[in-house]
Amino acid sequence: MTEMTAHVRVENLRKTYQTRQDEIEAIHEVKMDVAEGEFISILGPSGCGKSTLLMIVGGLLPLTSGTVSVGGEDVSKPRRDTGVVFQAPVLMPWRTILKNVLFPIESLGLREEDYIDRAYELLEMTGLSNFAQNVPSELSGGMQQRVAICRALIHNPNLLLMDEPFSALDAMTRDLMNQELLRIWEEYKKTVLFVTHSIREAVFLSDRVFVMSPRPAVISEIVTIDLPRPRELAIEETPEFNQYVAHLRGLIEH
Ligand code: ADP
Ligand code: MG
């Protein structure tokens, strides 16, 4: 990959947490180059440093050493061109769905009126347009997570960071959300960094899967998923899909 095309570049990244008792090395050394519009999954066991890596790329956590850049600029604080989705949707319970989606506009100091059409477009795309005036407690967990995705996309960031966004959902809802996410990605062509510990989810979604070792993390393997797009759930029944799953499982078990 050339200097010109890397959208996200991580070099010699190290992260050590200081606790009162001692130091915890979360990331030993990570290097990654991600191209504009790529869908990347970061796969690894629990506690290996996936969230740490994503928070550093999102400018939400300082690094210990190394460099992280987005769009050629060093990341040191949250960036406007980055949207983040966490495992829990963390919506504001007293605000309507529409107002939750518009929240980043308010915190960025932009004019809300300019973004209302876009908010409705995103709600429409995620099947929530009839719920704009509801409050979060009136929506299911899967619907709330869709609101969180709309909220992450409202200011049109070109990089989307997702940290196990569907892991709290039941298996069927999760399948639906994965399909929905791919639809959104095909339509808007964002660069996505998607953290998961589900091998099948990573294979279904990704152009490439970065496999992280147990803590302290390094990227131990990069697997290119050469499956046709657009992808439907039926692809999970194909031998090719299951070969990727078996290959990744083998890598993780070693
Ligand atoms: P993952 O998301 O892969 O489950 P994390 O990035 O959350 O892993 O954590 C990686 C390692 O860093 C874990 O061993 C965890 O205990 C440690 N860690 C995470 N956050 C902190 C913190 N704020 N202080 C100290 N240690 C932390
Ligand atoms: Mg995590």
Side-chain angles (χ1 to χ4, degrees):
M1 201 169 297
T2 68
E3 200 78 30
M4 300 296 287
T5 54
H7 185 188
V8 179
R9 169 160 289 171
V10 176
E11 275 175 317
N12 306 321
L13 174 65
R14 275 193 63 221
K15 174 67 184 180
T16 304
Y17 287 106
Q18 304 286 342
T19 66
R20 247 170 314 168
Q21 296 81 7
D22 57 346
E23 295 189 336
I24 296 172
E25 188 182 26
I27 294 179
H28 178 63
E29 186 174 11
V30 163
K31 172 181 177 9
M32 60 195 290
D33 271 338
V34 177
E36 189 96 47
E38 249 192 316
F39 198 120
I40 297 292
S41 284
I42 298 161
L43 182 67
S46 194
C48 75
K50 302 182 297 299
S51 296
T52 301
L53 172 61
L54 212 67
M55 300 239 287
I56 292 172
V57 175
L60 298 163
L61 190 69
L63 47 75
T64 302
S65 62
T67 56
V68 175
S69 66
V70 171
E73 291 174 15
D74 279 357
V75 174
S76 56
K77 54 179 172 29
R79 297 169 56 89
R80 244 172 85 168
D81 59 8
T82 303
V84 184
V85 182
F86 297 103
Q87 182 171 352
V90 280
L91 305 177
M92 291 181 213
W94 62 90
R95 289 184 132 197
T96 64
I97 297 309
L98 179 66
K99 288 284 187 182
N100 267 285
V101 171
L102 286 167
F103 179 70
I105 300 307
E106 187 182 310
S107 43
L108 289 167
L110 303 171
R111 274 163 45 102
E112 206 173 273
E113 308 89 272
D114 297 342
Y115 288 86
I116 289 178
D117 286 351
R118 179 169 169 80
Y120 273 108
E121 182 193 316
L122 288 164
L123 288 170
E124 176 90 59
M125 163 124 63
T126 51
L128 292 170
S129 47
N130 290 334
F131 296 88
Q133 301 307 328
N134 288 70
V135 291
S137 63
E138 294 166 330
L139 275 63
S140 70
M143 291 161 84
Q144 292 190 28
Q145 198 54 286
R146 282 185 261 165
V147 177
I149 294 172
C150 295
R151 181 183 57 193
L153 292 171
I154 185 69
H155 57 298
N156 203 20
N158 52 15
L159 174 63
L160 192 54
L161 305 177
M162 306 183 84
D163 191 358
E164 304 198 39
F166 307 139
S167 59
L169 305 177
D170 63 86
M172 269 166 75
T173 308
R174 188 171 181 160
D175 279 347
L176 291 174
M177 295 296 293
N178 281 331
Q179 285 180 287
E180 195 138 1
L181 176 59
L182 281 191
R183 266 215 309 281
I184 293 173
W185 176 76
E186 310 258 345
E187 169 125 359
Y188 292 111
K189 283 296 174 199
K190 309 291 181 196
T191 305
V192 181
L193 293 192
F194 187 97
V195 162
T196 182
H197 58 243
S198 163
I199 297 174
R200 300 185 74 83
E201 186 171 65
V203 174
F204 180 71
L205 294 170
S206 311
D207 293 319
R208 290 190 294 158
V209 178
F210 287 63
V211 180
M212 280 174 87
S213 69
R215 185 177 70 84
V218 298
I219 304 277
S220 53
E221 300 281 343
I222 301 172
V223 177
T224 299
I225 309 297
D226 202 0
L227 294 171
R229 294 189 187 272
R231 295 180 191 162
E232 300 294 335
L233 280 180
I235 204 168
E236 299 204 4
E237 312 308 322
T238 64
E240 293 79 10
F241 182 93
N242 286 290
Q243 272 158 21
Y244 281 119
V245 172
H247 178 58
L248 283 163
R249 182 163 293 127
L251 292 176
I252 284 172
E253 281 167 5
H254 282 99

